[in-house]
Amino acid sequence: MQDSVREVVGYMGFDLHVHTTASDGKFSAEEVIQLAVELGLEGLSITDHDTVNAVNPALEFISRNRLNIELIPGIELNTEAGANEIHILGYYLDHNRKELLLKLQELKRARDERAVKILHRLEELGLPLDLNRVQEHARGEVVGRPHIADAMIEKGYVGTREEAFARYLDYGRPAYISRYKFPPREAIELIKRCGGLAVLAHPGLIDDQAMVAEVIAMGVDGLEVFYPEHSREQTSFYLRLAREKGLLITGGSDFHGPNEGNKLGAARVDRNSITAMQMRLTRR
Ligand code: AMP
Ligand code: ZN
Ligand code: FE
Ligand code: FE
């Protein structure tokens, strides 16, 4: 019964862009896997911002419970090029490699320092926050502006994460502090050195679209073509671009939690995309 229903619905696919509490998601690795199983996904990739801390717990949870779901080790590296935020996804990278973990430690330290500066700025604006509360929202893991937003919501300064960004935390807003410089080229090279595939995340969200060609020229392996915020036109444009350049075509929801934007599985790819990724790795 269950299977015939699935056939009618169509492929259940893979969601290749998912966050957990290791970065700014609301669900733990275990909760995300559980939900993916309930939805009937064939697989997913956990792609936390600047951390792989949820990957081993997710793999252990799957094997301990003998779950029929495929987990692709992943990451989403937040980089900056001028005024543009460029996110680079990494798939199938060796998530236990020393070089990777050292770099991620450095990024975490830089994020902590940045959070302190943002809190100073907010205090000057008459919006004091307790650093400990921000760290508690981050559960001791990678601190991001969304956790500062959470602390602001708790204080009643804003109603939502979106409002916190729009009024204070976004580029050009009064409490914006630029990130520690991590250029996209370095992120791409790091992912590849660690045996992974580098994919440009949500190209449609990049302010300066000229950056898309630049990042492709830096040697990414693929484009995240399927993404909930991409319009139909953007999707077909990036699809054509990926084909023209011989790049992998990926997609995912950017799930952050039940009331945080897109639902798990809101964008997916089928097994052909996964096979193409694996073939590209073996050909390297
Ligand atoms: P950070 O890693 O501290 O630079 O924060 C960037 C992250 O904040 C992004 O990767 C998103 O997950 C989230 N974010 C960015 N813009 C917004 C927004 N306008 N509203 C809510 N969350 C956002
Ligand atoms: Zn995020
Ligand atoms: Fe992103
Ligand atoms: Fe993301």
Side-chain angles (χ1 to χ4, degrees), residues 64-260:
R64 190 163 6 102
N65 296 286
R66 297 172 200 281
L67 299 174
N68 182 26
I69 193 159
E70 213 169 304
L71 184 91
I72 295 158
I75 194 164
E76 182 176 25
L77 293 170
N78 288 26
T79 77
E80 257 173 22
N84 292 280
E85 257 199 53
I86 310 282
H87 292 180
I88 307 291
L89 294 157
Y91 294 115
Y92 291 111
L93 73 176
D94 175 1
H95 62 282
N96 295 313
R97 196 171 302 200
K98 194 68 184 273
E99 184 196 358
L100 177 70
L101 299 177
L102 284 174
K103 183 68 192 182
L104 297 180
Q105 229 171 51
E106 194 182 322
L107 293 174
K108 184 176 183 334
R109 211 170 23 239
R111 278 177 170 278
D112 289 342
E113 287 168 15
R114 181 189 192 208
V116 170
K117 288 184 193 158
I118 293 174
L119 260 50
H120 269 293
R121 201 59 82 68
L122 286 170
E123 182 149 16
E124 285 166 8
L125 293 164
L127 306 169
L129 289 177
D130 182 0
L131 181 62
N132 286 326
R133 272 315 284 157
V134 173
Q135 280 161 344
E136 278 162 28
H137 280 290
R139 296 171 184 78
E141 305 248 23
V142 166
V143 176
R145 283 175 289 166
H147 303 117
I148 296 175
D150 290 344
M152 294 175 79
I153 293 168
E154 194 172 60
K155 281 281 207 172
Y157 299 156
V158 291
T160 61
R161 280 183 173 184
E162 282 70 24
E163 188 189 344
F165 272 86
R167 290 176 62 190
Y168 302 106
L169 303 176
D170 244 345
Y171 185 80
R173 306 312 301 163
Y176 177 81
I177 300 285
S178 82
R179 212 197 315 260
Y180 156 90
K181 282 279 164 262
F182 189 33
R185 186 186 300 278
E186 278 182 29
I188 294 165
E189 287 168 0
L190 175 68
I191 289 165
K192 288 179 156 185
R193 274 201 309 279
C194 294
L197 297 162
V199 171
L200 175 59
H202 41 67
L205 302 190
I206 299 172
D207 291 330
D208 177 5
Q209 281 296 299
M211 283 308 303
V212 175
E214 283 193 35
V215 176
I216 291 174
M218 290 174 195
V220 288
D221 296 285
L223 286 187
E224 188 178 48
V225 171
F226 300 104
Y227 188 76
E229 266 89 70
H230 284 169
S231 68
R232 204 184 279 259
E233 290 72 27
Q234 285 175 319
T235 304
S236 57
F237 176 78
Y238 296 126
L239 191 58
R240 217 168 336 115
L241 185 61
R243 290 200 175 123
E244 197 181 288
K245 304 274 183 189
L247 295 172
L248 294 166
I249 293 155
T250 76
S253 66
D254 213 352
F255 179 70
H256 280 81
N259 299 309
E260 302 291 338

Side-chain angles (χ1 to χ4, degrees), residues 17 19-20 23-25 47-49 76 78 87 146 161 254-256:
H17 192 152
H19 293 274
T20 75
S23 64
D24 56 356
T47 54
D48 278 307
H49 302 286
E76 182 176 25
N78 288 26
H87 292 180
R161 280 183 173 184
D254 213 352
F255 179 70
H256 280 81

